Amino acid sequence: MQAVYLLLGKRNCFHKLTLILIYILQLWEHYGYCSQKQSLFRHLLELLKRTAVHGESNSVLIVGPRGAGKTMLLKCVLRDLLEEKEAQKNLLQVHLNGLLQTDDRIALKEITRQLHLENVVGDKVFGSFAENLAFLLEALKKGDRSSSRPVLFVLDEFDLFAHHKNQTLLYNLFDVSQSAQAPIAVVGVTCRLDVLELLEKRVKSRFSHRQIHLLSNLTFTEYLERVQTQLCLPDDFPDSKFAQDWNDSIQTLCEDKSVEEVLQRHFNSSKDFRSMHMLLMLCLSRVSVAKPAIKPADLLEASRLCFADAKANMLHGLSILELCLIIAMKHLNDVYEGEPFNLQMVHNEFKKFLQRKSNSMYNFDQPVIMKAFEHLQQLELIRPADGSSAKTQREYQLMRLMLDHSQIMEALQKYPQCPTDIKQWAMSAFG
Amino acid sequence: MNQSGAESFLGLCLSSLSISVEGLPRTTVISTGQHILIEGEDEDNPYVARVIRLFGDESGKQKKAVVQWFVRVSEVPPSKLKLLGREPHPQEIFYYQGRSCDDEVNAESILRPVQVIVGPLGVQTDLTALCQTSTTHTVTSAEAGLDSDDEVVMKKSRHAAAGSRTPRSKQKSRSSTRTPRKTPNKKVKVQTDAFLRWSAPVVSEISLPVSSLCEQVAPGTPRTPRHATPSIPSRSLPARQPANVLEEARTRLHVSSVPESLPCREQEFQDIYSFVESKIIDGTGGCMYISGVPGTGKTATVHEVMRCLQHAADVDEIPPFHFIEINGMKMTDPHQAYVQILQKLTGQKATADHAAALLEKRFSNAAPRKESTVLLVDELDLLWTRKQNVMYNLFDWPTRRHARLVVLTIANTMDLPERIMINRVASRLGLTRMSFQPYSFKQLQQIITSRLNKVKAFEEDALQLVSRKVAALSGDARRCLDICRRATEICEHSSADPSATGLVGMSHVMEALNEMFSSAYITAIKCASLQEQLFLRAVIAEFRRLGLEEATFQQVFVQHQALCRVEGLQPISVSEGLAVCQRLGACRLLLLEPSRLGVLQRIRLNVSQDDVLYALKAD
């Protein structure tokens, strides 16, 4: 990478920006594990090491909310594990994901493929579902603790595997891990705290009940430090003077009062590292050749983008007529306390508003209103109420509004050139 | 095949063919009747054949040869080799009469001619290409002691080859992808020279330059694995052995380690043993139903019984018998049970329907000298089908006069026959039932002690705590062993401080128990972000207001906004509120309707309100 920098970086500032991005993203990817998670890290590492080195079968679940670093923990452990020669030479790995392997048939093919068993040619796995299962079980059964290579099964989105028919795959994996066959380690990764309740009792009995709960009790100061370290350029950055300037600017950025406020707000909302990265990425993307530093204003802007309400933004793109219909629906919701409505009711409500006005600039025909109504449905701003059959005429089909009042009011404030009378109508207590 | 046959008639017949061996200045000439080596999968052991006819197609570009194949000793499956009745010479080849191979080969796949010496018994070839005289010497000395006649060998070898393999079809696809090879080493050169002397005179030469072969390179189709052996590769470095007392204890406590004896199941063992033994001795059949919650040693006990019976059969105390085992969980469909039973009984492969028919025939017909069969059916409840014909057959076969089948079935629930089986199935299962009670704390303690077998790693109190705790919860021996194993790990970590005795004590066991049995809900709430905690409070507030345990997001959100104002926080937008709600739903602190309902989705708590309040107050 240094060579790349020397080739391009000095001549063209643009490449320097790319390089900053590369370095920082690398930092995010290879971020070492925080010290407070050390005990969990050691637990998992030793567990897997025993499988790799001693051939002891194990099973473990890593549980924690989304973005808490479950996969990162596993990745760091595997990286450390594979540095050891004894483990690296022996360990076979199988990675499955509940979102990809949606049933046991697919999962079995994938396992066979990743293990390169003998019924695999190229990328194809031969045999029926039943044959594949029998083949895999036979293969695992033939192995034994001391002579076969240990296999590591990583099941991402573990809870989804529990929905497979009869939980055949889980039963068999756990059964192998509890009997004298080829040594395997089953590592499940999930965000569901109630995952054990999903397992059938005979499957549950075979699971070792080791759970690693990954919950972050991060404080705000730690969060702030983390933001700073994640934005700083590492020491091996080719242009040390630039790195120094950059790091100083990050330092001042993090000490800024308004920045701290924004980060506090993010921290309050979620401790998830992924959402933090999202925010920082938006900031980084605003760095340019003319302005090679992150300014507090960038962070404020990024935060505004992150917190923007999606539905309210959609309302800005509606026509005046569609907006009027939404307001009419809001009034109907107020009057009938959230009961569903149909097109006729909305149209009546709208007509009442028009009658109070002398000018008729919003006078539309029924078909036009119908079209607008359908458009709203397509945008999923309204949706049919449950139980209303599709057979009823479209004018009388019962609908519900998918917006909160606060969203409508917010959108009206920002709507470009919104007529005053419509604004007033929306604010008035009664239609 | 037909097409190529037709081509061969159209083609120009040749009486001899010359090929060039790479690295040699001269071309080698091959004529009809000569033995040749043909390129195969194994570089060191090419195929052997005799040329019957040589021809070229109309265009004259493609030269082909019709050959008679021979098989090497290594290509004959070991089971067929036994039929030979003598030790074959490693370089011996056999006449091949299988119909599965194409007997037409492309000229470019021919490597070189080879000398074959017809011994007193069969056809033999020198393949290692040492000098000619020494080869002859080896062969004659190898053949000296053999006494079976030629005819028999030929017949047997034909038999052996017929069902065993399809090497030529493989070879064919391979030869088409062949690339020109590197210069052969010196040894080959010497050898080819030697054979040149031996070859027939040249009549008409058609030289084929090697480079032209590249034009015919076509992508080969991968082979279908027919005889794939299921296996996990073996490790390059041997597994490390346990080094200290704790590691030793951990190995012994692993559920997978087979214990020397099964304590606390003596009565059950005796019952099953006498049941199966009497059936085997009488040559009759019968069924037994064994039930018990998971981890009470059902399968282990049956396996132990079978080990003992097998031992008894080995020393001729009881007649020999077959033991086969199927597991409802280890098959994809109940009807696969037939396939697995048939395969384990006879090694045949068949479809489910065919297998059922074969088994039916096997168990209903009388046969001389028939052995008893003991069939263990684990996880019986998984074999349930709507018509219950799998279960029906399994329990019906033992009642046949000639079946000599003993069926042992295992499931978790005691009243399974009454609950899921229709009358005619339940009636055939009979009333021989046994139920395994969950282990009591004393039994669990005994199990651990017997497993540890004088390895001193645990304090007495610690063992008692584990067994009492597990006995109170489930009586599952697996759980008990897992907790002990975890406790040894915790002990190992804490052994750094000097006060530790090196034994697993109460504190270690307590820690392991806490890890395994405590629920994480409360810690999860404590670790949630501020907005998430506020949202949970809003949910409870809304539940109290409504007097219901369910509310829509919209309703909760109003409460949430109010709480934000009370706490002096900036109110959040609806999108953000929904995100907070989804995060809580993902880890199942809340139960949610599908998220496409947006603000209308209904929310429930998955934890009790008291737990939430307790967790939030503790901060």
Side-chain angles (χ1 to χ4, degrees):
Chain A
M1 192 169 300
Q2 301 235 337
V4 173
Y5 180 81
L6 291 175
L7 269 176
L8 305 165
K10 283 188 178 158
R11 228 176 304 154
N12 194 337
C13 296
F14 180 73
H15 289 291
K16 192 181 273 174
L17 297 181
T18 324
L19 212 64
I20 294 172
L21 212 61
I22 291 172
Y23 266 90
I24 287 177
L25 286 181
Q26 233 178 12
L27 201 65
W28 291 358
E29 210 167 289
H30 298 290
Y31 192 71
Y33 230 70
C34 1
S35 55
Q36 50 182 333
K37 300 283 183 288
Q38 270 307 313
S39 65
L40 300 180
F41 181 83
R42 216 173 45 186
H43 180 182
L44 190 63
L45 180 63
E46 275 171 21
L47 195 78
L48 296 185
K49 205 182 269 178
R50 275 204 305 276
T51 304
V53 177
H54 293 267
E56 179 187 292
S57 292
N58 277 311
S59 49
V60 65
L61 279 179
I62 306 176
V63 188
R66 292 211 184 277
K70 303 178 289 293
T71 313
M72 180 67 98
L73 173 70
L74 188 64
K75 229 161 97 182
C76 291
V77 166
L78 280 179
R79 200 181 57 206
D80 273 25
L81 185 69
L82 292 181
E83 272 169 20
E84 211 171 307
K85 202 140 192 218
E86 205 172 341
Q88 188 196 359
K89 271 194 176 166
N90 289 328
L91 196 66
L92 294 168
Q93 294 186 32
V94 176
H95 292 264
L96 302 177
N97 190 318
L99 292 168
L100 298 177
Q101 281 79 36
T102 49
D103 64 26
D104 283 346
R105 185 188 304 265
I106 306 171
L108 272 174
K109 289 225 174 204
E110 187 61 23
I111 292 174
T112 321
R113 201 182 63 74
Q114 291 191 21
L115 281 179
H116 300 295
L117 293 185
E118 282 189 22
N119 54 350
V120 181
V121 172
D123 257 358
K124 294 259 185 335
V125 180
F126 282 88
S128 67
F129 181 29
E131 280 166 8
N132 285 339
L133 179 67
F135 195 85
L136 181 68
L137 290 178
E138 190 60 31
L140 288 170
K141 202 172 171 184
K142 270 194 185 163
D144 71 40
R145 183 193 163 116
S146 49
S147 68
S148 359
R149 286 176 75 173
V151 189
L152 169 70
F153 288 91
V154 178
L155 308 181
D156 225 334
E157 309 289 346
F158 178 84
D159 47 310
L160 296 178
F161 286 96
H163 297 305
H164 294 181
K165 190 183 162 230
N166 291 341
Q167 303 185 347
T168 310
L169 181 73
L170 293 185
Y171 177 93
N172 285 310
L173 286 184
F174 286 144
D175 195 55
V176 171
S177 84
Q178 298 241 322
S179 47
Q181 303 183 5
I184 67 168
V186 184
V187 180
V189 180
T190 177
C191 63
R192 280 184 71 162
L193 295 168
D194 63 344
V195 64
L196 278 192
E197 289 158 40
L198 297 175
L199 297 180
E200 227 189 301
K201 64 183 180 205
R202 52 188 150 209
V203 180
K204 199 173 162 186
S205 165
R206 281 165 173 81
F207 169 56
S208 74
H209 278 64
R210 283 167 199 268
Q211 291 187 68
I212 295 180
H213 288 287
L214 201 64
L215 301 160
S216 69
N217 44 0
L218 201 69
T219 61
F220 181 60
T221 22
E222 286 165 343
Y223 186 80
L224 211 58
E225 271 171 30
R226 177 108 192 225
V227 170
Q228 198 175 335
T229 47
Q230 301 251 293
L231 281 179
C232 282
L233 285 173
D235 298 333
D236 60 341
F237 192 77
D239 186 344
S240 60
K241 185 173 177 311
F242 179 82
Q244 189 59 41
D245 290 349
W246 172 271
N247 288 352
D248 287 347
S249 77
I250 295 295
Q251 176 93 29
T252 40
L253 176 80
C254 288
E255 281 159 6
D256 191 281
K257 253 288 137 316
S258 61
V259 168
E260 203 166 303
E261 238 165 66
V262 167
L263 289 176
Q264 175 80 54
R265 187 156 175 234
H266 272 268
F267 176 72
N268 283 346
S269 155
S270 112
K271 296 176 177 175
D272 182 347
F273 290 129
R274 246 179 239 149
S275 69
M276 178 177 94
H277 284 163
M278 185 98 85
L279 179 77
L280 298 184
M281 199 60 197
L282 283 170
C283 296
L284 279 174
S285 64
R286 298 173 73 85
V287 175
S288 64
V289 181
K291 185 177 73 71
I294 301 178
K295 294 273 178 271
D298 296 330
L299 196 72
L300 296 188
E301 179 61 22
S303 155
R304 200 186 57 74
L305 278 175
C306 276
F307 282 126
D309 192 300
K311 284 264 165 81
N313 277 344
M314 270 166 86
L315 289 179
H316 293 169
L318 295 183
S319 68
I320 293 285
L321 170 63
E322 284 158 347
L323 202 62
C324 286
L325 291 180
I326 294 274
I327 293 167
M329 289 171 200
K330 171 192 170 264
H331 286 310
L332 281 173
N333 260 350
D334 285 342
V335 174
Y336 299 108
E337 288 176 335
E339 288 299 306
F341 48 79
N342 61 28
L343 175 60
Q344 282 304 316
M345 293 162 78
V346 177
H347 197 183
N348 279 342
E349 194 69 27
F350 185 42
K351 272 186 197 152
K352 269 198 268 173
F353 162 66
L354 291 181
Q355 275 160 12
R356 283 186 279 124
K357 302 282 153 197
S358 47
N359 60 348
S360 57
M361 67 179 288
Y362 308 126
N363 236 342
F364 296 102
D365 294 335
Q366 174 83 7
V368 178
I369 289 184
M370 174 80 123
K371 194 76 197 164
F373 198 72
E374 276 172 2
H375 187 223
L376 289 180
Q377 193 179 342
Q378 275 166 6
L379 290 175
E380 293 201 332
L381 294 174
I382 54 174
R383 59 177 289 130
D386 316 317
S388 71
S389 64
K391 274 179 192 163
T392 44
Q393 260 184 299
R394 272 183 298 179
E395 292 92 323
Y396 303 106
Q397 201 177 7
L398 287 177
M399 296 295 213
R400 279 181 197 280
L401 184 61
M402 301 284 288
L403 294 166
D404 194 64
H405 290 184
S406 58
Q407 285 171 305
I408 302 174
M409 300 319 282
E410 192 200 323
L412 274 176
Q413 296 302 326
K414 290 179 189 160
Y415 193 87
Q417 291 146 16
C418 181
T420 327
D421 47 354
I422 290 180
K423 259 190 197 169
Q424 278 169 349
W425 176 43
M427 307 250 220
S428 64
F430 297 100
Chain B
M1 189 72 75
N2 281 339
Q3 201 190 346
S4 65
E7 253 173 44
S8 72
F9 283 115
L10 290 169
L12 160 76
C13 281
L14 311 164
S15 53
S16 83
L17 172 73
S18 84
I19 58 165
S20 52
V21 175
E22 296 97 298
L24 279 176
R26 300 149 70 183
T27 52
T28 310
V29 179
I30 289 170
S31 56
T32 318
Q34 198 176 347
H35 290 87
I36 49 170
L37 291 182
I38 292 173
E39 184 173 78
E41 288 160 84
D42 189 352
E43 294 259 313
D44 300 327
N45 290 309
Y47 294 120
V48 188
R50 193 165 66 93
V51 182
I52 294 173
R53 199 156 55 85
L54 293 163
F55 65 91
D57 60 9
E58 312 93 305
S59 56
K61 277 182 193 151
Q62 185 87 356
K63 278 91 193 174
K64 291 186 177 202
V66 177
V67 295
Q68 166 60 51
W69 292 107
F70 290 92
V71 285
R72 289 161 179 276
V73 176
S74 57
E75 290 173 78
V76 181
S79 57
K80 310 280 183 185
L81 212 53
K82 278 187 205 147
L83 298 172
L84 193 59
R86 62 176 174 89
E87 194 62 34
H89 185 267
Q91 289 179 5
E92 196 168 347
I93 55 170
F94 299 101
Y95 188 73
Y96 178 78
Q97 252 199 350
R99 297 245 168 267
S100 51
C101 304
D102 193 353
D103 57 2
E104 230 178 81
V105 294
N106 288 339
E108 59 266 31
S109 65
I110 299 173
L111 292 178
R112 56 170 182 267
V114 73
Q115 185 180 17
V116 171
I117 300 152
V118 182
L121 298 172
V123 198
Q124 285 206 340
T125 178
D126 160 42
L127 298 163
T128 47
L130 295 165
C131 92
Q132 223 173 325
T133 47
S134 76
T135 312
T136 323
H137 183 73
T138 332
V139 171
T140 40
S141 67
E143 293 301 319
L146 299 171
D147 54 3
S148 57
D149 74 58
D150 190 300
E151 196 55 42
V152 172
V153 176
M154 296 297 267
K155 198 170 125 210
K156 293 257 163 95
S157 63
R158 229 173 278 155
H159 182 86
S164 65
R165 53 187 216 115
T166 53
R168 305 309 156 196
S169 50
K170 294 172 197 170
Q171 184 267 334
K172 211 183 168 203
S173 68
R174 201 195 127 110
S175 70
S176 61
T177 57
R178 197 172 77 103
T179 48
R181 273 189 290 119
K182 294 187 200 91
T183 322
N185 54 29
K186 207 174 172 186
K187 192 171 116 191
V188 174
K189 190 176 176 181
V190 171
Q191 164 208 358
T192 322
D193 278 343
F195 284 125
L196 270 174
R197 255 191 286 121
W198 193 75
S199 65
V202 182
V203 178
S204 72
E205 265 189 32
I206 309 155
S207 65
L208 275 171
V210 178
S211 55
S212 73
L213 298 179
C214 302
E215 290 164 19
Q216 288 148 17
V217 170
T221 46
R223 291 178 295 119
T224 316
R226 294 248 165 68
H227 303 290
T229 42
S231 66
I232 297 285
S234 49
R235 51 193 301 155
S236 51
L237 297 165
R240 222 182 269 166
Q241 291 304 312
N244 58 30
V245 178
L246 285 175
E247 281 182 13
E248 172 75 30
R250 211 178 297 138
T251 323
R252 288 172 167 277
L253 286 173
H254 199 282
V255 185
S256 70
S257 70
V258 182
E260 290 93 8
S261 68
L262 277 179
C264 315
R265 288 292 180 223
E266 288 84 7
Q267 186 57 47
E268 286 85 356
F269 176 87
Q270 200 55 51
D271 289 353
I272 301 175
Y273 188 92
S274 47
F275 175 80
V276 180
E277 188 191 28
S278 65
K279 300 287 180 209
I280 292 177
I281 291 175
D282 299 348
T284 55
C287 294
M288 185 176 205
Y289 177 69
I290 301 167
S291 65
V293 291
T296 49
K298 303 176 295 295
T299 313
T301 309
V302 174
H303 279 154
E304 183 72 15
V305 168
M306 286 305 140
R307 252 197 312 277
C308 290
L309 282 171
Q310 205 75 59
H311 180 73
D314 287 344
V315 295
D316 275 344
E317 281 173 19
I318 55 167
F321 65 95
H322 271 303
F323 171 58
I324 49 178
E325 184 185 2
I326 58 170
N327 186 327
M329 271 296 215
K330 294 188 179 172
M331 52 188 76
T332 51
D333 174 271
H335 294 98
Q336 286 291 322
Y338 298 129
V339 180
Q340 294 200 0
I341 294 173
L342 186 73
Q343 209 203 340
K344 284 172 184 169
L345 262 183
T346 64
Q348 273 174 282
K349 270 188 184 171
T351 61
D353 289 339
H354 189 211
L358 286 176
L359 286 172
E360 177 75 33
K361 207 154 96 192
R362 184 186 165 97
F363 288 124
S364 34
N365 293 346
R369 286 176 46 82
K370 199 167 174 180
E371 284 182 359
S372 287
T373 310
V374 181
L375 172 65
L376 169 63
V377 185
D378 217 340
E379 313 291 0
L380 176 72
D381 50 329
L382 267 298
L383 294 185
W384 186 89
T385 51
R386 210 166 47 80
K387 284 175 146 180
Q388 306 199 356
N389 42 7
V390 179
M391 282 185 180
Y392 179 88
N393 278 333
L394 283 181
F395 303 144
D396 191 44
W397 289 332
T399 62
R400 308 279 169 80
R401 231 180 91 209
H402 304 291
R404 295 185 150 210
L405 177 68
V406 186
V407 178
L408 301 173
T409 55
I410 298 182
N412 289 136
T413 40
M414 206 192 233
D415 58 345
L416 188 81
E418 285 74 29
R419 265 195 316 130
I420 68 166
M421 292 183 200
I422 49 179
N423 286 337
R424 62 193 161 99
V425 177
S427 136
R428 278 171 174 76
L429 175 57
L431 291 169
T432 322
R433 309 227 178 137
M434 173 176 290
S435 104
F436 279 56
Q437 296 304 318
Y439 289 112
S440 70
F441 88 90
K442 280 207 173 121
Q443 289 174 321
L444 287 173
Q445 211 173 339
Q446 203 185 331
I447 289 171
I448 305 173
T449 332
S450 85
R451 280 213 174 209
L452 284 174
N453 193 20
K454 303 212 180 68
V455 174
K456 183 72 184 151
F458 279 81
E459 281 171 19
E460 207 52 39
D461 292 349
L463 279 190
Q464 192 165 2
L465 177 69
V466 177
S467 23
R468 277 190 190 270
K469 187 85 186 180
V470 173
L473 280 168
S474 60
D476 186 337
R478 289 193 190 111
R479 201 63 331 95
C480 202
L481 295 172
D482 282 332
I483 294 169
C484 289
R485 229 151 49 85
R486 179 69 189 128
T488 59
E489 286 165 25
I490 295 171
C491 176
E492 211 165 41
H493 284 176
S494 60
S495 65
D497 68 273
S499 64
T501 54
L503 291 185
V504 181
M506 288 288 261
S507 59
H508 305 131
V509 169
M510 281 303 281
E511 205 183 320
L513 281 170
N514 276 338
E515 239 176 55
M516 288 186 173
F517 290 112
S518 70
S519 116
Y521 286 116
I522 290 180
T523 3
I525 296 175
K526 277 185 193 168
C527 291
S529 72
L530 193 61
Q531 293 287 1
E532 286 161 6
Q533 290 179 343
L534 268 189
F535 195 85
L536 285 173
R537 273 169 63 187
V539 170
I540 291 182
E542 186 63 21
F543 283 179
R544 294 215 169 135
R545 190 183 72 85
L546 293 171
L548 279 171
E549 291 277 289
E550 189 179 279
T552 66
F553 173 80
Q554 216 164 5
Q555 292 167 321
V556 175
F557 191 66
V558 174
Q559 295 280 354
H560 185 93
Q561 298 286 51
L563 277 173
C564 278
R565 269 177 234 121
V566 171
E567 297 283 328
L569 294 169
Q570 212 178 345
I572 58 172
S573 69
V574 178
S575 294
E576 209 185 329
L578 271 171
V580 166
C581 178
Q582 288 303 328
R583 275 201 294 274
L584 290 171
C587 56
R588 286 301 190 276
L589 285 167
L590 295 179
L591 297 176
L592 302 176
E593 279 189 306
S595 60
R596 67 190 150 82
L597 293 172
V599 293
L600 299 175
Q601 63 186 311
R602 280 174 296 196
I603 296 172
R604 278 169 186 246
L605 269 180
N606 198 26
V607 234
S608 78
Q609 294 194 8
D610 295 337
D611 281 356
V612 177
L613 291 178
Y614 168 78
L616 292 178
K617 209 173 282 171
D619 295 346

